[in-house]
Amino acid sequence: MKLGQATIKDIAKELNVSLSTVSRALKDYPGISNETKRKVKELAEKLNYRPNAIALSLRKSKSFTIGVIIPEVVHFFFSTVISGIEEVAFANGYNVILCQTNEKLQRELSSIEAMLDNQVDGLLVSYSKETEDFNHFTKLLKQNFPIVFFDRVPEIENTVNVTVNDFKGAYDATSHLINQGYKNIAHLAGPKNLTISRKRLDGYLAALQDHSIKHNPDWIIPCPIGTQEESFEFTKRLFENEKAKPDGIFASNDIAAAGAMMAVKSLGLKVPSDVGVVGFSDWQFSSMIDPPLSTVSQPGFQMGEKAISLLLEMINKKKDETWTPKTVVLETELIIRKSSEKIITE
Amino acid sequence: MKLGQATIKDIAKELNVSLSTVSRALKDYPGISNETKRKVKELAEKLNYRPNAIALSLRKSKSFTIGVIIPEVVHFFFSTVISGIEEVAFANGYNVILCQTNEKLQRELSSIEAMLDNQVDGLLVSYSKETEDFNHFTKLLKQNFPIVFFDRVPEIENTVNVTVNDFKGAYDATSHLINQGYKNIAHLAGPKNLTISRKRLDGYLAALQDHSIKHNPDWIIPCPIGTQEESFEFTKRLFENEKAKPDGIFASNDIAAAGAMMAVKSLGLKVPSDVGVVGFSDWQFSSMIDPPLSTVSQPGFQMGEKAISLLLEMINKKKDETWTPKTVVLETELIIRKSSEKIITE
DNA sequence: TTGTATGCGTTATCAC
DNA sequence: GTGATAACGCATACAA
């Protein structure tokens, strides 16, 4: 067990002054003689005094702690976001407590409970793939509890969100494939209940339409789990069964893209000469695989920074002041690597 | 701002009973009439009462929060460890607060301060690459403050550590290269101040020795930064300058290995036929690169689980009871993929 | 079976 | 300049 920390009381007793004097001296309040101030500070230093944040929290009804709810830490994009969150939190004297849901709704619910029990001042959430209604959030929002959603944002009213231009990212990626000469482009889609999946699908469809390409519903493959194995399997099946084989794949994330690439290669087809592939997210590995994967990069760190900045703003509003709902949209960037370069082949 | 939560006081007032009655009723203490119990619980439910964890912490001088200090979240291995930590913490009603040091000593120091301010019950630490003395830890340990070090463990007395058998992992990896017929094996080493780097180097050297291969000091390349670019550069230089070129590389981590592989390929050499490569850690991308990278996998999740389990044990000791220093060593596993398979080439 | 009083560490409000 | 006291939300020793 941890041994007792020195408290204000200890200092007061040793110096034969009152608690309030010590408290004031430590905070350089006016109306304390320099002499006492000096003595108090010296002793505080010597006893290695540190204010008890728990007591402060209780006193101020504010914990200087924010809760982050995230599907998985082991996910390059999310860990980047956490990094951004952590950075700004730290700089502002806030702590970050973390819960991952492992994509389970049940876990999401209990995590929120735990965080509320711990009096977090606000919540940063990216909800799970299982989450289909948002009552647990609306209930809190109604009580004016500060929440900022990031990446996976719910389609409910009065929320503050930070997201990425998924539509445009997908549109750009698909257009790029088309411009490279790939005309039969399949899409490995994400889970339907995530807005980001739908937006990416929409971007894909819009790009096809704008280039007067009719889309083939059979070529939109839902990949609800999101593992490499899943997309490998589905891609293989797609290329084996169809008569008119696709020559391009736009995947809603890099893992799926990597699985697809392996599937394509396993069938003896070449990337990018036979099939062009573009992913989404720019995972760490994407530049290292063979061929290096073209992808849509998302500013994860920046998303984290923005999300917590907004949250801190909300937290620091005066009571009764409300905030205006808004959605901050960060731009993506198409990163062109070998996996989609049909034109400049050697 | 968050609106007021219901407290015990609110319930007591509304029911015209005392605070203690409510408190006891809620916790099913003996000696409370079923009638009052029922009424209290009903109202608590209705008011959506939740005990204030902050007040509890203050009362019990225990925060049910543990602090995790980690170099970087955006690091596959560490995020895996976090995942394990988070899992066990959650199951035991503990919160995890997170600080990343970004490999900066200064940040490590201030993170620890912040965590102590917040009365964490214990600390889980993997220190930064800049950390060369451990006074900030020994000071705490002397006060009997619970700390468990994981992965990067300091060589100081009376600590509780969880680590991986880095020596054996490196030994196995190097031996494997030798058995495959690679005889001139270079090593991309990690930062010297990390024990893990030294252990891996030792394992490498021991394997060479046991196979009667004299090691070449020039072929031990320190990679203090640990980026892909760094190892790319260094590897390229190594292969360009030497007369007797190496035909094998054992890198102290997968990122370095990936960089080395790219360097080798850029020089027109083939992996694995000309040069065999083995990494360390089994990052997510390692199976996806070309050729798939042989590596030494570390049980990150398990390490997290073990570390926090030990910490909770320490936390739950009675006052004055001390714990026995120990180091739990988890075993690694050599994962053989294409990058090191000289023998079975087609 | 229930109520009262005290303390966890801190600060704000009065008082002197 | 400094001190006493109440309050933040809760649990518990002690009374009744």
Side-chain angles (χ1 to χ4, degrees):
Chain A
M1 279 289 299
K2 187 179 163 192
L3 296 186
Q5 272 289 340
T7 71
I8 278 194
K9 211 178 191 171
D10 299 322
I11 299 181
K13 204 174 292 171
E14 184 138 348
L15 256 39
N16 269 320
V17 292
S18 74
L19 295 181
S20 8
T21 304
V22 176
S23 173
R24 284 188 278 235
L26 286 171
K27 324 198 73 186
D28 279 324
Y29 261 56
I32 297 284
S33 74
N34 286 330
E35 176 62 8
T36 7
K37 240 185 233 179
R38 194 185 50 73
K39 282 204 288 192
V40 168
K41 287 189 174 173
E42 267 180 26
L43 186 58
E45 177 77 14
K46 187 179 142 211
L47 296 182
N48 199 6
Y49 167 79
R50 48 172 20 106
N52 183 321
I54 301 265
L56 285 176
S57 297
L58 186 59
R59 184 89 229 293
K60 307 205 164 167
S61 310
K62 185 165 181 331
S63 63
F64 287 94
T65 298
I66 67 125
V68 176
I69 296 192
I70 219 158
E72 280 187 293
V73 195
V74 190
H75 191 305
F76 182 67
F77 174 69
F78 284 125
S79 60
T80 313
V81 179
I82 293 181
S83 200
I85 292 173
E86 221 264 305
E87 207 64 31
V88 175
F90 190 80
N92 286 275
Y94 276 76
N95 287 107
V96 172
I97 86 178
L98 185 70
C99 279
Q100 57 181 338
T101 59
N102 293 321
E103 305 284 6
K104 300 279 173 247
L105 172 60
Q106 205 44 54
R107 187 69 180 271
E108 182 168 298
L109 294 171
S110 53
S111 296
I112 294 179
E113 293 295 311
M115 299 216 159
L116 293 180
D117 285 349
N118 281 276
Q119 311 293 116
V120 293
D121 293 335
L123 237 33
L124 250 28
V125 339
S126 200
Y127 57 81
S128 84
K129 286 185 184 166
E130 280 184 12
T131 306
E132 302 198 322
D133 84 81
F134 300 100
N135 293 335
H136 47 304
F137 296 124
T138 47
K139 209 169 65 186
L140 289 172
L141 291 168
K142 254 182 214 147
Q143 294 174 58
N144 242 18
F145 185 83
I147 305 182
V148 173
F149 295 93
F150 62 94
D151 192 48
R152 303 183 181 173
V153 307
E155 285 169 334
I156 53 181
E157 292 191 333
N158 296 323
T159 56
V160 176
N161 309 313
V162 181
T163 183
V164 128
N165 198 334
D166 292 285
F167 178 89
K168 182 155 181 303
Y171 184 93
D172 289 349
T174 311
S175 300
H176 162 66
L177 282 170
I178 297 171
N179 293 333
Q180 286 288 318
Y182 305 104
K183 300 293 176 202
N184 306 305
I185 302 168
H187 177 48
L188 300 176
K192 280 215 190 69
N193 63 318
L194 300 186
T195 316
I196 53 173
S197 307
R198 286 200 299 272
K199 292 253 167 93
R200 291 176 195 174
L201 173 58
D202 290 347
Y204 158 80
L205 292 172
L208 292 184
Q209 180 156 20
D210 286 1
H211 290 83
S212 314
I213 299 178
K214 237 204 339 237
H215 83 270
N216 180 343
D218 293 339
W219 288 3
I220 297 172
I221 323 270
C223 296
I225 311 179
T227 60
Q228 200 187 334
E229 289 73 22
E230 181 189 53
S231 64
F232 181 91
E233 215 39 65
F234 289 178
T235 306
K236 217 171 150 188
R237 217 175 292 165
L238 174 69
F239 277 77
E240 283 171 350
N241 291 352
E242 292 295 319
K243 292 172 196 168
K245 292 190 201 295
D247 62 357
I249 298 172
F250 166 55
S252 74
N253 73 70
D254 281 4
I255 297 269
M261 231 161 69
M262 292 177 84
V264 167
K265 290 207 263 179
S266 81
L267 294 169
L269 296 167
K270 300 256 181 268
V271 179
S273 54
D274 297 325
V275 182
V277 181
V278 180
F280 209 109
S281 261
D282 195 22
W283 284 53
Q284 234 167 355
F285 69 81
S286 305
S287 59
M288 304 188 200
I289 61 180
D290 190 52
L293 180 65
S294 296
T295 187
V296 178
S297 99
Q298 310 180 80
F301 190 87
Q302 202 187 326
M303 178 179 282
E305 288 181 317
K306 189 70 199 174
I308 189 168
S309 301
L310 289 173
L311 185 66
L312 292 182
E313 262 179 46
M314 291 164 73
I315 289 174
N316 292 320
K317 290 257 192 213
K318 306 282 166 224
K319 232 174 195 143
D320 303 330
E321 238 185 295
T322 54
W323 46 78
T324 45
K326 68 175 130 192
T327 296
V328 173
V329 178
L330 304 175
E331 287 310 319
T332 57
E333 189 192 350
L334 179 64
I335 306 215
I336 300 174
R337 301 203 181 98
K338 282 264 185 294
S339 71
S340 62
E341 287 199 320
K342 189 173 198 165
I343 289 176
I344 318 167
T345 37
E346 300 111 305
Chain B
M1 280 292 297
K2 188 181 164 192
L3 295 187
Q5 272 289 341
T7 71
I8 277 194
K9 209 177 192 172
D10 300 321
I11 300 180
K13 203 174 291 172
E14 184 137 349
L15 256 39
N16 269 322
V17 292
S18 76
L19 295 181
S20 32
T21 303
V22 175
S23 172
R24 285 188 278 238
L26 286 172
K27 324 198 72 186
D28 279 324
Y29 261 54
I32 296 284
S33 73
N34 287 331
E35 176 62 7
T36 3
K37 246 187 226 176
R38 194 184 50 72
K39 282 203 290 191
V40 168
K41 287 189 173 173
E42 267 180 27
L43 186 57
E45 177 78 14
K46 187 179 143 211
L47 295 182
N48 198 7
Y49 167 79
R50 47 171 21 104
N52 182 322
I54 301 264
L56 285 176
S57 298
L58 188 58
R59 180 87 226 294
K60 307 207 163 168
S61 309
K62 186 163 179 333
S63 63
F64 287 93
T65 298
I66 66 126
V68 177
I69 297 193
I70 220 160
E72 280 187 294
V73 194
V74 190
H75 191 305
F76 182 67
F77 174 69
F78 284 125
S79 59
T80 313
V81 179
I82 294 181
S83 200
I85 292 172
E86 222 263 305
E87 208 62 30
V88 175
F90 190 80
N92 286 275
Y94 275 77
N95 287 107
V96 172
I97 86 178
L98 185 71
C99 279
Q100 59 183 338
T101 60
N102 292 321
E103 305 283 7
K104 300 277 173 245
L105 172 61
Q106 205 44 57
R107 188 67 181 271
E108 183 169 297
L109 294 170
S110 52
S111 296
I112 293 179
E113 293 295 308
M115 299 214 159
L116 293 180
D117 285 349
N118 281 277
Q119 311 293 114
V120 293
D121 294 335
L123 237 33
L124 251 29
V125 177
S126 201
Y127 57 82
S128 84
K129 286 185 185 167
E130 281 184 10
T131 307
E132 302 198 322
D133 83 82
F134 301 100
N135 293 334
H136 47 305
F137 296 123
T138 46
K139 210 169 66 186
L140 291 172
L141 291 168
K142 256 183 213 146
Q143 293 174 58
N144 244 17
F145 185 84
I147 304 182
V148 173
F149 295 92
F150 62 94
D151 192 47
R152 303 182 182 175
V153 307
E155 286 169 332
I156 54 180
E157 292 191 333
N158 297 323
T159 56
V160 176
N161 309 314
V162 182
T163 183
V164 129
N165 199 334
D166 291 287
F167 178 89
K168 182 154 181 303
Y171 184 94
D172 290 349
T174 311
S175 300
H176 161 67
L177 282 170
I178 298 171
N179 293 334
Q180 287 287 317
Y182 304 103
K183 300 294 176 200
N184 306 306
I185 302 169
H187 177 48
L188 300 176
K192 279 213 191 69
N193 63 318
L194 300 186
T195 316
I196 53 172
S197 306
R198 286 201 299 273
K199 293 252 168 93
R200 291 176 195 174
L201 172 58
D202 290 347
Y204 158 79
L205 292 173
L208 291 184
Q209 181 157 18
D210 286 1
H211 291 82
S212 313
I213 299 179
K214 238 204 339 238
H215 83 269
N216 180 343
D218 293 340
W219 288 2
I220 298 172
I221 324 269
C223 296
I225 310 178
T227 60
Q228 200 187 334
E229 289 74 20
E230 182 188 51
S231 65
F232 181 90
E233 215 39 67
F234 289 177
T235 306
K236 216 170 151 191
R237 218 175 292 166
L238 174 69
F239 276 77
E240 282 170 349
N241 291 352
E242 291 296 318
K243 292 169 194 169
K245 290 189 202 301
D247 62 358
I249 296 173
F250 165 55
S252 73
N253 72 70
D254 282 4
I255 297 267
M261 231 160 72
M262 292 178 85
V264 167
K265 290 207 261 178
S266 81
L267 293 169
L269 297 167
K270 300 257 181 267
V271 179
S273 54
D274 298 324
V275 182
V277 181
V278 179
F280 208 110
S281 260
D282 195 23
W283 285 52
Q284 232 166 358
F285 68 80
S286 305
S287 60
M288 304 186 198
I289 61 181
D290 189 52
L293 179 65
S294 297
T295 188
V296 178
S297 97
Q298 310 180 82
F301 191 86
Q302 202 188 325
M303 178 179 282
E305 288 181 319
K306 189 70 200 172
I308 189 168
S309 302
L310 288 173
L311 186 66
L312 292 182
E313 263 179 45
M314 291 165 71
I315 290 174
N316 293 321
K317 290 257 191 214
K318 306 283 165 221
K319 231 174 196 143
D320 304 329
E321 238 185 296
T322 54
W323 45 79
T324 45
K326 67 177 133 191
T327 297
V328 174
V329 178
L330 304 175
E331 288 308 320
T332 57
E333 189 191 352
L334 179 64
I335 306 211
I336 300 174
R337 301 201 182 98
K338 280 263 184 296
S339 72
S340 62
E341 287 199 321
K342 190 173 197 165
I343 290 176
I344 318 166
T345 37
E346 302 109 306

